[in-house]
Amino acid sequence: MACSASSSTLMAAKYPYPSNVNVANFVSIKLSHKNYLLWKTQMLGLIESQDMMGFIEGQISKLTSTIETVENGEARSVPNPEFLAWKKSDRLLRGWIIGSLSEEVVGLVVGLQTSSKVWTALLKVFARESKDQEFLLNRKLHTFQKQEKTITEYVTGFKTICDELAAIGKHLSDQDKVYWLINGLGAGYEAFMTSILRPPIPAYIDVVSLLESHDNMKNIHGFQLNPIAVSISQEVPAQPSYFHNYRGRAQYTRKNSNPRFNSRGRGFPPTSQSRPTNTPANADQSTTQPSVKTACQICGLSNHTAFKCYHRFNQAYQPKYLPQIFSTVQGADPNNADWYPDTGATSHVTDDPGTLNHLIKYHGTDSVMVGNGQHLPITHIGSTNLDLGNTTLPLDDVLVVPAIKKNLIFVSQLTSSMPYVFEFTSDSFVINDKETNQMIAKGARKGDLYALKTRPKAVFFSDRFRTATSEIWNSRLGHPSAKIIDFLSSK
């Protein structure tokens, strides 16, 4: 009896059977394709607490129902005394694991008889999926934009991405959440972004509250008028029209700066129709929809278009504002089209806004400090795709600094937003995709700097010319007189 009791004790120690354990106290979530790391952490805690790690790690191997023994010189198969104890413990552990799977995952382990096979199958499936999911979620986080969403929808969508990353064990720090949240706000929030990024950076929950308050204030006060449109309306004042193409006896006289009309005659519009009455409806319309004067594109005066301008066919005419326009134009240097990777920069920088997409004007107070201590102003912010021939290199949040001499690539920002790796040698450098090890771009060393050369933009033109008839030119020019057509034909 003592020998039998001792054998049972050893069997229970080797093959534990804790059937009274409440699994829900240890594993509170069902395994799905989004939470493998969290489920694995909870499940391992349960298995380790019950001393059953050997079943899934291989220290306790599968037993057979019979064993071979030799009695009186003959080999015989007898029942394995440990098989039933091993089977009960293994089936219990297998039941724990399968019971914590969601319906979409149970199908992956149907037909597997041991806990070790079930655990290995889940490990092979979800280990790779977790890595892919992490990459896709990081990509989604970096490209998530507010655009036409409300602040509530934008913050909710951003929190969903952060929760999905946390579900696979990749928690974002509070500062990273703040940065990526304001990174996707876009145009109209530059002042808010600048104030938030000024140290000390507030906590994420405080930034969300400040963002909602900022948006509420914008909705209350409305958007400001476009400063460009305001300046145009100030520079092109409304001009009174002194000439009317009406038939009949219509006269205009000027005395003491008070115009006086004599509207007797055929074709002159009645006074009641030409002047709006001061009714409440008109007053409301004037406040909500201010009248916009049409300015001529040739001479700049109002109340007529370029089609009716007197200077339309005057080739010698030059508007007064034309020299000022050309004085503000900055031609891009074709020899300065290369981009230089810089590990010490803090942003992508260029001097040519023509190379950027989604360009927005910068209204903040920040500037770019160069090596000599000089602060260079920032005029715009945009993004671009560098054409490298076989592929493109996306650059986001590129600063336009007209006084900068070189186009700079912020290496740290590029490697943070994309899965890229820079490798520098004595005469060149390459940019590789660390996931596929595929070369994305290659640059050469120029003096003491490494330069990435982009493919120049091609310019196409047609070499097919057709001679147009006088009727076509008459239609194109707005039906001018025959003398003008004859004059143009002689040139």
Side-chain angles (χ1 to χ4, degrees), residues 298-362:
I298 298 177
C299 64
L301 299 179
S302 60
N303 291 333
H304 71 276
T305 61
F307 184 76
K308 296 183 179 180
C309 184
Y310 293 110
H311 304 287
R312 178 179 176 185
F313 301 104
N314 184 5
Q315 302 297 329
Y317 176 75
Q318 176 175 306
K320 296 181 179 179
Y321 54 81
L322 193 60
Q324 288 83 352
I325 293 178
F326 282 108
S327 65
T328 60
V329 174
Q330 178 181 359
D333 183 6
N335 298 322
N336 195 28
D338 298 344
W339 287 76
Y340 297 84
D342 189 353
T343 58
T346 56
S347 294
H348 306 310
V349 182
T350 183
D351 65 331
D352 185 10
T355 61
L356 303 184
N357 305 320
H358 310 294
L359 196 66
I360 58 175
K361 191 172 182 61
Y362 179 70

Side-chain angles (χ1 to χ4, degrees), residues 104-121:
E104 59 182 344
V105 180
V106 171
L108 300 175
V109 297
V110 172
L112 302 181
Q113 298 299 323
T114 64
S115 60
S116 176
K117 291 183 178 180
V118 172
W119 186 264
T120 303

Side-chain angles (χ1 to χ4, degrees), residues 31-44:
L31 175 60
S32 66
H33 290 276
K34 297 181 179 180
N35 60 1
Y36 171 70
L37 294 179
L38 290 180
W39 173 87
K40 179 182 176 182
T41 302
Q42 293 185 351
M43 181 56 68
L44 286 178

Side-chain angles (χ1 to χ4, degrees), residues 18-294:
S19 58
N20 58 346
V21 173
N22 188 359
V23 181
N25 293 336
F26 292 86
V27 184
S28 60
I29 58 178
K30 295 283 187 179
L31 175 60
S32 66
H33 290 276
K34 297 181 179 180
N35 60 1
Y36 171 70
L37 294 179
L38 290 180
W39 173 87
K40 179 182 176 182
T41 302
Q42 293 185 351
M43 181 56 68
L44 286 178
L46 169 62
I47 298 174
E48 289 176 349
S49 67
Q50 304 302 323
D51 295 328
M52 302 180 74
M53 287 296 296
F55 288 91
I56 62 175
E57 291 183 345
Q59 288 87 355
I60 302 177
S61 59
K62 180 181 177 181
L63 299 182
T64 58
S65 59
T66 60
I67 58 176
E68 298 292 334
T69 62
V70 178
E71 293 183 3
N72 300 325
E74 296 181 359
R76 295 181 56 188
S77 295
V78 297
N80 189 348
E82 297 183 1
F83 175 73
L84 292 178
W86 171 86
K87 184 178 179 180
K88 289 177 61 178
S89 298
D90 186 80
R91 295 299 185 269
L92 177 65
L93 178 56
R94 176 174 169 268
W96 289 352
I97 298 175
I98 295 179
S100 62
L101 305 182
S102 62
E103 294 181 359
E104 59 182 344
V105 180
V106 171
L108 300 175
V109 297
V110 172
L112 302 181
Q113 298 299 323
T114 64
S115 60
S116 176
K117 291 183 178 180
V118 172
W119 186 264
T120 303
L122 295 176
L123 181 63
K124 290 181 179 180
V125 172
F126 288 99
R128 179 59 185 171
E129 286 190 2
S130 297
K131 190 65 177 179
D132 296 341
Q133 184 74 2
E134 177 187 355
F135 175 78
L136 293 176
L137 289 175
N138 279 321
R139 179 68 175 170
K140 185 178 180 181
L141 177 69
H142 298 167
T143 58
F144 189 68
Q145 300 290 325
K146 178 182 179 296
Q147 296 177 344
E148 302 299 327
K149 305 181 188 72
T150 64
I151 286 296
T152 302
E153 294 173 346
Y154 173 67
V155 173
T156 302
F158 180 83
K159 184 179 183 299
T160 301
I161 299 175
C162 295
D163 292 342
E164 291 178 353
L165 282 170
I168 62 174
K170 302 299 178 181
H171 297 271
L172 291 176
S173 65
D174 204 67
Q175 190 169 354
D176 287 340
K177 288 183 179 180
V178 171
Y179 174 78
W180 291 116
L181 177 68
I182 66 176
N183 179 68
L185 291 176
Y189 294 86
E190 293 84 0
F192 178 82
M193 295 168 62
T194 304
S195 61
I196 291 298
L197 292 178
R198 185 172 300 168
I201 298 178
Y204 169 76
I205 188 64
D206 296 332
V207 173
V208 172
S209 178
L210 292 173
L211 180 58
E212 292 174 347
S213 300
H214 177 79
D215 193 72
N216 291 334
M217 294 300 295
K218 288 180 62 176
N219 294 335
I220 293 175
H221 297 288
F223 293 97
Q224 297 181 354
L225 292 176
N226 189 348
I228 299 177
V230 174
S231 63
I232 293 177
S233 63
Q234 292 176 352
E235 293 176 359
V236 185
Q239 300 292 335
S241 179
Y242 297 153
F243 302 93
H244 302 273
N245 189 18
Y246 298 126
R247 298 177 59 189
R249 296 184 299 275
Q251 300 178 355
Y252 170 79
T253 60
R254 183 181 182 92
K255 183 177 181 181
N256 296 330
S257 301
N258 295 320
R260 178 172 56 86
F261 289 90
N262 182 1
S263 60
R264 293 177 301 170
R266 293 176 297 171
F268 198 91
T271 305
S272 61
Q273 298 179 3
S274 60
R275 294 183 180 180
T277 58
N278 190 17
T279 61
N282 291 335
D284 181 72
Q285 183 178 3
S286 63
T287 57
T288 58
Q289 298 180 354
S291 60
V292 178
K293 298 295 182 180
T294 302

